Amino acid sequence: MTRSSEWQDKARRIRLLALDVDGVLTDGTLHFHSDGQETKSFNILDGLGIKMLQRSGVQVALITGRESPMVTRRAEALGIAHVHQGREDKLIALRALCEALGLPLADVAYCGDDLPDLAAIRAAGLGLSVLNAPAYVREHADWVPSRPGGQGAVREICDALLASQGNWDASLAPYLDVLE
């Protein structure tokens, strides 16, 4: 799906990227071990994209319906300060976060993959979904990246936001300057 000029205009305003976790930062698969422990897999491409976006001044938040120590650890590793777990009421959580940060919803991008995310996708200034989301969720998004959740979709979103906000070259510079 290509990004329209309307998408570009919306993307320039974004000051907060809020993400669901399962199905967006992961592929949605949950592994339960015999001892009761649960594991998830996170994509390293997404992690670097989040760090680059944060360095550009865009805040990142996680709003997830499940409670998971892995989410807490991943958020800590990425420096994500706003982590809201056990929240099936994604839009209420998003509005509360916006109020706490003094941001209007128009300055927020939200990415989700399933029905609990739908209201937040529709209310955010820039509604996003992922390729592996059901079609009836994707159709409400302003944009769907070409990669599925857990396989670089968040990185694609971060890269697109950086480019739309004119921060792409500055984000690449530290990696290019290593050789000079």
Side-chain angles (χ1 to χ4, degrees), residues 90-169:
K90 307 290 182 82
L91 181 54
I92 292 170
L94 183 61
R95 283 186 172 142
L97 179 59
C98 287
E99 185 175 326
L101 297 174
L103 291 173
L105 278 169
D107 291 357
V108 176
Y110 182 88
C111 184
D113 71 311
D114 212 343
L115 292 173
D117 302 299
L118 196 52
I121 290 168
R122 291 172 48 93
L126 184 62
L128 305 164
S129 191
V130 290
L131 194 59
N132 50 306
Y136 51 82
V137 173
R138 292 191 317 262
E139 72 185 23
H140 292 280
D142 292 306
W143 183 57
V144 176
S146 65
R147 294 178 176 222
Q151 296 181 30
V154 171
R155 174 60 169 274
E156 196 174 338
I157 290 165
C158 292
D159 290 356
L161 288 172
L162 288 165
S164 294
Q165 295 182 358
N167 294 319
W168 182 247
D169 290 339

Side-chain angles (χ1 to χ4, degrees), residues 41-63:
S41 298
F42 296 91
N43 190 296
I44 200 76
L45 292 173
D46 294 339
L48 183 55
I50 287 170
K51 287 181 178 182
M52 290 168 47
L53 193 63
Q54 290 171 318
R55 281 190 287 247
S56 79
V58 176
Q59 297 182 72
V60 177
L62 305 180
I63 302 174

